[in-house]
Amino acid sequence: MSTETIDIASLVTEMAHQARAASLTLANVPREQKNKAILRLAELIEENVPALQAENAKDLEAGEANGLTPAMLNRLKLNEKRISGMVEGARQVAALPDPVGESLETYQHPQDFSIEKVRVPIGVIGIIYESRPNVTVDCAILCLKSGNASILRGGKEAFYTNTALAALVSQALEEAGLPPKAVQFIPTTDRAALNTLLKLNEQIQCIIPRGGEGLIRFVSENSTIPVIKHYDGICTVFVDKEADTAMAESIVVNAKTQYPSVCNAAENLLIHRDVLDFHLPQIARGLAAKDVLIKADSEAAAALEAAGIDCEPATEEDWGTEYLDLVISVKVVADADEAMAFINKYGSSHSDAIITSNPETAESFLNGVDSSTVYWNVSTRFTDGFEFGLGAEIGISTDRLHARGPMGLRELCSYKYKVVGNGQIKG
Amino acid sequence: MSTETIDIASLVTEMAHQARAASLTLANVPREQKNKAILRLAELIEENVPALQAENAKDLEAGEANGLTPAMLNRLKLNEKRISGMVEGARQVAALPDPVGESLETYQHPQDFSIEKVRVPIGVIGIIYESRPNVTVDCAILCLKSGNASILRGGKEAFYTNTALAALVSQALEEAGLPPKAVQFIPTTDRAALNTLLKLNEQIQCIIPRGGEGLIRFVSENSTIPVIKHYDGICTVFVDKEADTAMAESIVVNAKTQYPSVCNAAENLLIHRDVLDFHLPQIARGLAAKDVLIKADSEAAAALEAAGIDCEPATEEDWGTEYLDLVISVKVVADADEAMAFINKYGSSHSDAIITSNPETAESFLNGVDSSTVYWNVSTRFTDGFEFGLGAEIGISTDRLHARGPMGLRELCSYKYKVVGNGQIKG
C-alpha cells in the first residue's frame, strides 16, 4: 500500500467513527432542529446559486475535456431548474412527518410489563452514487430527516459541485446546532476510499449504492456492510386476451414513452396469442407514432408485417435488456401463466403490468408475478415514492429485505424494543 | 478446481434453481396445505424416534472419535426431550397465524386507483447452521409457514441426524402435495458447497447464518446475497443511583445466572459511583451465592474487598467479552451518560437494562442505548420471540436492517405493492 492509500484509509475510518458518534446524538434530537437545518440548507442553496454554478462549470469543463457524452454532461449540469428542484425538495422533506419515535406496536407481557416497538434511525448510512450532483443534497436531507448520519461518496465527474454543496450542508448543520459530522462528504474519489468504507461494518450499518450496474455490483461484492441495491428496471406489460384495445394502447405507450430513461419504463410487451392480430397493430401504431423501435419475436413480426408495420427481430438477449430508450421488445405468449413465467425469468422484479378485464386472471397475475409492484390496468410509470404517498424517496429498492420498491423516510429507519416493568425476572 | 468441486458447484446451483421454482409456487399455496405438511412432519418425527436416534448415535460416535467436547456432544444429542420439543414446536407453528397475504396498508392515489401493500414471502432463504440438529426442523417449518423455500446447510457433526430429519421433511411435503424442493438439505458439508451457495444471488434472496462468530463472519464476508446476522450478545445491566437494592440484586442475578449460556444473559454490570458501597456488596453476595466469578475494575474491587467479597481484576478485554458462563465484569461509572457510552462502545446492540426509579433517567437510557431491546427494571433474559408475542423465532438479529431483535414469521416476509386501476397513465 502506498502512503497515500494508507492516508485515505485512515481518513475514511476516522470519518466513520465520527459519523457513528454523530448518529447517536442525531437519533434523539428534536424534529424542529432537524427541520431547521434542512430549511436553512434550502436558503443557503438559494443564496449561493452563482458560486454553485461556478463550481459546476469546472466539472462540466473537465467532463468535456475527458470526453463525457452529451447525456452524461446533461446529467452533470446544475441548471436553474435542478437548483430550484433541490430547494423545493428540501422544503417538502422538512414538511413531511418525522418517522423517528413512532410507536409501531405494543405488547403486554403476561408478567405485566410492556414491550413497545418504536421506529428509530438505522444509524450511519453510506451512500455511493455517480454523476448527478443533486443526489448529494437529496440524500443528505433524507438521511438527516430520518435521524441517520450519512457518509456520501459521489462520482469524480461532479467533484467540484459536490464539494461546494457539501460545504453548504455542513454550514446548515452547524447553524442549526447539529453535530457537523452528521453528514460527511468523502473528499476524494480514489477507489481506496470505497474499499475502506465498505468494510467498516462496526461503524456503518447500511450502504445504498445508486448508479449503474457496474457500481452496484462492485459495492455488493465488496461490502461487509448490509447493502440495499437499486438495480435496473426490466419492466413488462402483458396484454391479456380480455383487454380493452384503447386501454392497452394507452398504457403501453405511456409505460414506454412518457419518460423512457427511467427504471419504471416498460422494456417488454407480451401479447396473448388469441388477440395478436386484433390488438398488436393498434398498439404498434401508437408506439410508432412516438418513434419507438419495435423488436419482435417471429410470431409478432408476422402480425406486424401483415399490418404493414416495421419491426426488427428480437433475440433472447432482448428479453433481459433495459433499453432506457425508445425501443421495446414484443413477444407472443399462450396465456397469463406463460406471461408470468416470462416476467419471473427475465424481469428485474421491479414493476410489471397486466391489461385485462378478467378479475380472476388479474388476481392470479398480481399474486404470481414476483415483483415489488404489480399493476392491473395501470401504467408501470407510477412506481415512485411521491406517487405511493411516501413523500420523497432515496431510490427504488430491487432487494427483498428491509425495503422493497420505493424507499422513503420510513424505509430509512429500523426499530427497537423498549421494555418497561417493575422488577420482572424470568422464571 | 477438482472434478468433485465442480460437481458440488453444479449440485448446489441446481438446488438453488429448483428452490426458486418451488418458491414461486409456495408463495401462493393455501395456508391449510402448509399447515398440513407441518403437522404431518410432527407425526413423522413421532413415528420415527428409534430410527432418528439410531442416526444420531452415528453422529455421537463420530463426534467422540473426533474429540468433540462434552458440551458439543450434548448439543448434538437428540434425546427424548429435544424430540418432543421439535414436535411440539411444529404444532405451535402450525397454529400460528399465516403472515402471508396480510394487507399492511392501502393508499388511494389522486388519480383514483388503489395501491395496496401486502405481506409476501422473501423467496428462497439459505440457512447455514452448526451442530444442533433440531435447527433443521425448526428452520424448515418456519420457512415453510412463511411461504419461503429454504436451502439448509447443517454442520458436519450432525450430518447423519440432519439427513434423516431432512428425509422426513421431504416426505411431509410430498404427502401434503407441496413442491418437494420447497425445503432442501445440502447433502455434503464440503466448504465448496457454501462457496457456491453464497454467490447465487439470482436464485436466493436471503442468507441466515446461525452459529459461532467464525461461521457468521465467513458468511457475511463471502456472500453476495443479503445476510441477516445473528451475532453474539454482550448485554449489560446498569444500576443507577436511584435503584431499589432488592430489585437490582434480583434482576442482575436473574440476567446473569438463570441461563448463562444464551445470548440475552448479562455479561457486564455497571454501577453508579454514588451507590457503589450501598448496592454492590448485596448484589455481589447474590451473584456469589450462585457461584458467579466477579471480575471488577479497581474501584469496584476496592468496594468488594472492603465488604470481604472475592473478585478478580477486569481488563479492557473483559468489557467486550461474551462469557456465556458464570462470570460477570463489574465497572463503576459516574452517571447514566457514561453507562450509555460504555454500552454503545462495548456492547453488541442486543439487550441492555437500567435499574432506576427515576423516569427521566430511564427515558434517556431507553432512547440513548443503541440496542435492539432496552429494558427498564426488567431482566434482559426476556429477549425472545415467544416472550415478545411473535411466536417461534428463527433467531435474534443483531443487524439493523429488515429484522432487529427476535425474528419470527413476519420477519421472514417481505412485501409487494398491488396496484389496481382502470386505465390510469402518468401525465
Side-chain angles (χ1 to χ4, degrees):
Chain A
M1 261 193 291
S2 71
T3 315
E4 201 184 336
T5 306
I6 295 170
D7 286 347
I8 289 174
S10 314
L11 170 80
V12 172
T13 305
E14 176 62 18
M15 287 175 76
H17 278 94
Q18 290 175 326
R20 163 80 177 150
S23 80
L24 293 172
T25 303
L26 201 61
N28 290 300
V29 297
R31 53 199 58 178
E32 296 72 26
Q33 212 176 339
K34 295 187 286 187
N35 289 337
K36 192 178 162 190
I38 295 168
L39 293 171
R40 181 65 188 127
L41 175 58
E43 282 175 1
L44 285 170
I45 294 170
E46 282 180 326
E47 289 167 10
N48 287 280
V49 172
L52 288 170
Q53 289 189 322
E55 294 304 303
N56 187 237
K58 293 187 197 167
D59 283 324
L60 290 168
E61 204 178 323
E64 261 184 273
N66 291 323
L68 293 192
T69 64
M72 289 164 92
L73 288 169
N74 177 40
R75 274 203 292 277
L76 197 54
K77 188 161 188 175
L78 210 59
N79 56 25
E80 301 279 322
K81 196 181 156 205
R82 284 194 182 135
I83 291 174
S84 63
M86 284 194 292
V87 169
E88 201 193 320
R91 290 185 175 134
Q92 280 173 359
V93 172
L96 286 174
D98 188 331
V100 176
E102 202 188 328
S103 178
L104 301 172
E105 274 172 62
T106 307
Y107 175 71
Q108 193 68 15
H109 189 277
Q111 281 175 251
D112 205 26
F113 61 88
S114 68
I115 300 174
E116 189 188 13
K117 186 176 177 179
V118 179
R119 211 190 293 283
V120 300
I122 290 171
V124 179
I125 300 180
I127 300 179
I128 298 155
Y129 52 102
E130 289 180 331
S131 58
R132 292 188 306 160
N134 51 310
V135 172
T136 304
V137 168
D138 293 352
C139 291
I141 286 173
L142 286 167
C143 288
L144 185 58
K145 178 85 184 196
S146 53
N148 293 290
S150 55
I151 297 180
L152 310 175
R153 195 275 196 182
K156 67 174 183 305
E157 300 82 5
F159 188 71
Y160 288 106
T161 319
N162 282 336
T163 304
L165 287 168
L168 299 182
V169 174
S170 296
Q171 188 181 339
L173 288 170
E174 209 165 332
E175 291 186 21
L178 289 175
K181 303 297 182 186
V183 182
Q184 295 176 84
F185 182 75
I186 296 184
T188 166
T189 58
D190 193 309
R191 200 30 92 83
L194 209 46
N195 287 329
T196 300
L197 187 79
L198 296 175
K199 308 289 183 203
L200 295 170
N201 45 279
E202 297 275 315
Q203 285 77 41
I204 305 174
Q205 282 73 45
C206 174
I207 294 284
I208 301 178
R210 287 183 53 166
E213 202 191 329
L215 174 76
I216 296 177
R217 198 171 296 279
F218 176 83
V219 167
S220 59
E221 283 174 3
N222 288 284
S223 179
T224 59
I225 303 166
V227 175
I228 298 180
K229 293 189 286 297
H230 294 65
Y231 257 129
D232 46 3
I234 298 166
C235 305
T236 297
V237 179
F238 166 52
V239 179
D240 183 42
K241 65 177 170 180
E242 291 166 86
D244 174 87
T245 316
M247 190 196 287
E249 182 197 344
S250 157
I251 288 178
V252 171
V253 170
N254 183 261
K256 178 69 261 181
T257 70
Q258 197 256 344
Y259 197 171
S261 65
V262 292
C263 59
N264 58 22
E267 308 293 2
N268 290 319
L269 165 64
L270 300 180
I271 190 148
H272 195 294
R273 182 165 290 130
D274 295 0
V275 293
L276 178 60
D277 296 324
F278 186 73
H279 283 320
L280 187 57
Q282 181 171 335
I283 296 171
R285 282 190 196 100
L287 289 167
K290 298 277 187 175
D291 299 320
V292 176
L293 168 68
I294 297 173
K295 302 184 93 173
D297 74 348
S298 57
E299 211 175 336
L304 290 167
E305 198 182 343
I309 300 162
D310 286 343
C311 69
E312 286 185 8
T315 66
E316 171 82 13
E317 204 192 329
D318 282 302
W319 313 131
T321 299
E322 187 185 30
Y323 303 114
L324 299 174
D325 203 350
L326 289 172
V327 183
I328 196 165
S329 324
V330 183
K331 189 182 191 325
V332 178
V333 293
D335 54 20
D337 284 343
E338 191 183 335
M340 287 190 268
F342 174 95
I343 293 168
N344 289 335
K345 179 172 179 186
Y346 294 103
S348 64
S349 299
H350 196 293
S351 301
D352 302 284
I354 182 171
I355 319 299
T356 187
S357 59
N358 184 320
E360 270 180 49
T361 312
E363 192 59 28
S364 154
F365 188 90
L366 291 173
N367 291 328
V369 169
D370 180 35
S371 296
S372 69
T373 308
V374 192
Y375 291 90
W376 175 20
N377 292 344
V378 179
S379 168
T380 57
R381 283 281 296 112
F382 287 100
T383 304
D384 172 291
F386 283 107
E387 300 287 355
F388 280 27
L390 308 179
E393 64 175 36
I394 202 148
I396 296 173
S397 161
T398 50
D399 273 337
R400 303 260 194 325
L401 296 190
H402 189 78
R404 194 178 191 199
M407 191 174 172
L409 289 172
R410 288 191 300 176
E411 289 75 24
L412 284 168
C413 287
S414 179
Y415 55 83
K416 78 198 286 186
Y417 293 96
K418 294 183 180 179
V419 182
V420 177
N422 48 20
Q424 283 82 354
I425 59 170
K426 185 146 168 174
Chain B
M1 260 192 291
S2 71
T3 316
E4 202 187 334
T5 306
I6 293 168
D7 285 348
I8 289 174
S10 314
L11 170 80
V12 172
T13 305
E14 176 62 19
M15 287 175 75
H17 278 93
Q18 290 175 326
R20 163 81 177 149
S23 80
L24 293 173
T25 303
L26 201 61
N28 290 299
V29 296
R31 52 199 59 175
E32 295 73 25
Q33 212 176 338
K34 295 187 287 187
N35 289 337
K36 193 179 162 189
I38 294 168
L39 292 171
R40 182 64 188 128
L41 175 59
E43 283 175 0
L44 285 171
I45 294 171
E46 282 179 326
E47 290 166 9
N48 288 279
V49 172
L52 288 170
Q53 288 188 322
E55 294 304 303
N56 188 236
K58 293 187 199 169
D59 284 325
L60 290 168
E61 204 179 322
E64 261 183 273
N66 291 324
L68 293 193
T69 65
M72 289 162 92
L73 288 169
N74 177 41
R75 274 202 293 276
L76 196 53
K77 186 159 189 177
L78 212 58
N79 56 24
E80 301 280 321
K81 194 180 156 206
R82 284 195 182 133
I83 292 175
S84 63
M86 283 194 292
V87 169
E88 201 194 320
R91 292 188 173 131
Q92 280 174 359
V93 172
L96 286 173
D98 189 330
V100 176
E102 201 187 328
S103 179
L104 300 172
E105 273 172 61
T106 307
Y107 175 71
Q108 193 69 14
H109 189 277
Q111 280 175 252
D112 205 26
F113 60 89
S114 68
I115 300 172
E116 189 190 11
K117 186 176 178 179
V118 179
R119 211 190 294 282
V120 300
I122 290 171
V124 179
I125 300 180
I127 300 180
I128 297 155
Y129 52 102
E130 289 181 332
S131 58
R132 292 188 306 159
N134 52 311
V135 172
T136 304
V137 168
D138 294 352
C139 291
I141 287 172
L142 287 167
C143 288
L144 185 57
K145 177 84 185 198
S146 54
N148 294 290
S150 55
I151 297 179
L152 309 176
R153 196 274 198 182
K156 67 174 184 304
E157 299 81 6
F159 188 71
Y160 288 106
T161 318
N162 282 336
T163 304
L165 288 168
L168 299 183
V169 174
S170 295
Q171 189 181 338
L173 288 170
E174 210 165 332
E175 291 185 22
L178 289 175
K181 303 297 182 187
V183 181
Q184 294 176 85
F185 182 76
I186 297 184
T188 166
T189 56
D190 193 309
R191 200 30 93 84
L194 208 47
N195 286 330
T196 300
L197 187 80
L198 296 175
K199 308 290 184 203
L200 295 170
N201 44 279
E202 296 276 314
Q203 285 76 42
I204 305 174
Q205 281 73 45
C206 175
I207 295 284
I208 301 178
R210 287 182 52 166
E213 203 191 329
L215 174 77
I216 297 177
R217 197 172 296 280
F218 176 83
V219 167
S220 60
E221 282 175 4
N222 288 283
S223 179
T224 58
I225 303 166
V227 175
I228 298 180
K229 293 189 287 295
H230 294 65
Y231 258 129
D232 47 3
I234 299 166
C235 307
T236 297
V237 180
F238 166 53
V239 179
D240 184 41
K241 65 177 171 181
E242 290 166 87
D244 174 85
T245 315
M247 190 195 288
E249 181 197 345
S250 158
I251 289 178
V252 171
V253 170
N254 184 260
K256 178 68 259 180
T257 69
Q258 198 258 343
Y259 197 170
S261 65
V262 292
C263 61
N264 58 22
E267 308 293 4
N268 291 319
L269 165 63
L270 301 180
I271 189 149
H272 195 294
R273 182 165 291 130
D274 294 359
V275 292
L276 178 60
D277 295 323
F278 186 74
H279 282 320
L280 187 58
Q282 180 170 337
I283 297 171
R285 281 190 196 101
L287 289 166
K290 298 274 188 178
D291 298 322
V292 176
L293 168 67
I294 297 173
K295 303 183 93 174
D297 74 347
S298 57
E299 213 173 336
L304 289 168
E305 199 182 344
I309 300 163
D310 285 344
C311 69
E312 287 184 8
T315 65
E316 171 81 12
E317 205 191 330
D318 282 301
W319 314 131
T321 298
E322 187 185 30
Y323 302 115
L324 298 174
D325 203 350
L326 290 173
V327 182
I328 196 165
S329 324
V330 183
K331 190 182 191 322
V332 178
V333 293
D335 54 22
D337 284 342
E338 192 184 336
M340 287 190 268
F342 174 95
I343 293 168
N344 289 336
K345 179 171 179 188
Y346 294 103
S348 65
S349 299
H350 196 295
S351 301
D352 301 284
I354 182 171
I355 320 299
T356 187
S357 60
N358 184 320
E360 269 180 49
T361 311
E363 192 59 28
S364 154
F365 188 90
L366 291 173
N367 291 328
V369 169
D370 179 35
S371 297
S372 69
T373 308
V374 192
Y375 291 90
W376 173 21
N377 292 344
V378 179
S379 168
T380 56
R381 284 280 296 112
F382 288 100
T383 304
D384 172 292
F386 284 106
E387 300 288 354
F388 281 26
L390 307 179
E393 64 175 36
I394 202 149
I396 296 173
S397 161
T398 50
D399 273 337
R400 301 256 195 329
L401 296 189
H402 189 77
R404 192 179 192 198
M407 191 173 172
L409 289 171
R410 289 190 299 176
E411 289 75 25
L412 283 167
C413 288
S414 179
Y415 55 82
K416 78 199 286 187
Y417 292 97
K418 294 182 181 180
V419 183
V420 176
N422 48 18
Q424 283 81 355
I425 59 170
K426 184 144 168 174

